[in-house]
């Protein structure tokens, strides 16, 4: 079976929901990013966390049928129109990224003892080898992180949609295209290094 006309309605509704969410948080995001500077602190590690979350969504994606856009009938009573590969559709991009920033809870800046460089990771009170800020600082940092995520998908929506619909993320993975090429939050060297302090969110918690 092919996806019905209702998929087009889903695209419109999801897009509308995303726009409303962006409007609601835009003022807070702008304020937080102004306070912390044009770029979030430890931006590379922040981007790689977002990339990892999007990668997980791709990895867990279920196989979908083509989109059936044959809604018109010719003189012989046959439907005609386009059939679109779901993997190359805008609907796929919307569903993969929808509400992704809502998944980030309790993310904060941490550092190794006696090391000044900080990186983003999910707060865990049982971690003895990472130094975190106070409760108030962590709450503020999580808001900043969410704002960064929202700002990322807002500013680079077209590029991310293009990468998804052209299956670039499927071929290359998300980290390098998103963080080194699209947002330029990381250098290629940062991506390759892996488990150093700049990409410490890949360390098992």
């Amino acid at each position: 079976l092919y996806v019905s006309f209702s998929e087009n309605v889903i695209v419109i509704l999801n897009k509308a929901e995303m726009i409303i969410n962006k409007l609601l948080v835009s003022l807070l995001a702008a304020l937080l990013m102004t306070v912390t500077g044009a770029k979030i602190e430890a931006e590379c590690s922040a981007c790689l966390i977002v990339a990892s979350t999007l990668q997980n969504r791709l990895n867990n994606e279920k196989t979908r049928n083509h989109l059936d856009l044959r809604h018109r009938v010719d003189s012989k009573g046959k439907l005609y129109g386009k059939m679109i590969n779901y993997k190359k559709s805008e609907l796929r991009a919307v569903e993969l990224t929808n509400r992704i920033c809502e998944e980030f809870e309790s993310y904060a800046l941490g550092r190794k003892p006696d090391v000044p460089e900080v990186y983003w990771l999910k707060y865990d009170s049982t971690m003895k080898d990472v130094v975190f800020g106070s409760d108030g600082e962590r709450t503020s940092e999580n808001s900043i992180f969410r704002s960064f995520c929202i700002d990322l998908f807002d500013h680079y929506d077209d590029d991310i949609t293009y990468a998804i619909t052209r299956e670039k993320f499927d071929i290359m993975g998300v980290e390098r295209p998103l963080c080194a090429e699209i947002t330029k939050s990381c250098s290629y060297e940062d991506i390759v290094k892996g488990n150093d302090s700049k990409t410490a969110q890949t360390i098992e918690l």
Side-chain angles (χ1 to χ4, degrees):
L1 296 178
Y2 291 102
V3 180
S4 68
F5 175 72
S6 62
E7 292 288 358
N8 292 318
V9 177
I10 294 175
V11 172
I12 295 173
L13 292 176
N14 283 336
K15 277 289 187 181
E17 182 179 2
M18 291 174 70
I19 291 172
I20 292 172
N21 287 338
K22 288 174 183 177
L23 289 174
L24 290 175
V25 301
S26 61
L27 181 59
L28 176 60
L31 176 60
L32 290 171
M33 295 307 288
T34 298
V35 171
T36 59
K39 291 183 178 295
I40 190 174
E41 188 172 7
E43 182 179 1
C44 179
S45 67
C47 183
L48 289 175
I49 290 173
V50 175
S52 177
T53 303
L54 180 54
Q55 184 69 61
N56 286 336
R57 287 190 171 197
L58 281 166
N59 294 343
N60 295 320
E61 188 178 27
K62 296 180 180 179
T63 302
R64 295 285 296 273
N65 294 315
H66 287 14
L67 303 182
D68 187 353
L69 303 182
R70 298 174 300 172
H71 308 308
R72 291 175 290 181
V73 181
D74 62 19
S75 58
K76 296 181 180 180
K78 293 183 178 180
L79 291 172
Y80 70 96
K82 294 181 179 180
M83 297 290 293
I84 299 178
N85 185 339
Y86 174 77
K87 296 195 75 172
K88 299 180 182 295
S89 69
E90 184 178 338
L91 174 61
R92 184 193 185 208
V94 170
E95 292 185 336
L96 282 172
T97 60
N98 190 34
R99 294 189 173 184
I100 191 170
C101 298
E102 295 180 12
E103 295 186 23
F104 298 116
E105 293 286 350
S106 302
Y107 277 84
L109 287 167
R111 63 177 177 82
K112 295 293 184 180
D114 303 320
V115 177
E117 187 175 14
V118 296
Y119 53 87
W120 290 95
L121 75 166
K122 190 175 181 65
Y123 173 70
D124 184 344
S125 61
T126 64
M127 297 178 68
K128 304 303 182 183
D129 59 340
V130 179
V131 178
F132 291 99
S134 65
D135 290 348
E137 289 173 330
R138 293 197 307 273
T139 298
S140 176
E141 288 166 355
N142 192 71
S143 297
I144 290 172
F145 188 91
R146 275 198 172 191
S147 296
F148 166 78
C149 177
I150 293 165
D151 187 64
L152 185 153
F153 283 100
D154 186 21
H155 280 78
Y156 300 102
D157 178 65
D158 291 341
D159 296 302
I160 293 171
T161 297
Y162 182 87
I164 292 174
T165 58
R166 296 301 186 276
E167 300 182 70
K168 190 171 185 178
F169 290 158
D170 297 274
I171 297 170
M172 300 178 63
V174 180
E175 285 188 355
R176 177 173 171 176
L178 179 63
C179 299
E181 298 175 8
I182 294 176
T183 68
K184 294 181 172 57
S185 300
C186 305
S187 66
Y188 290 112
E189 289 75 15
D190 291 332
I191 303 294
V192 173
K193 285 177 183 177
N195 290 335
D196 67 358
S197 59
K198 291 184 180 179
T199 57
Q201 75 289 340
T202 59
I203 297 176
E204 292 184 4
L205 301 182

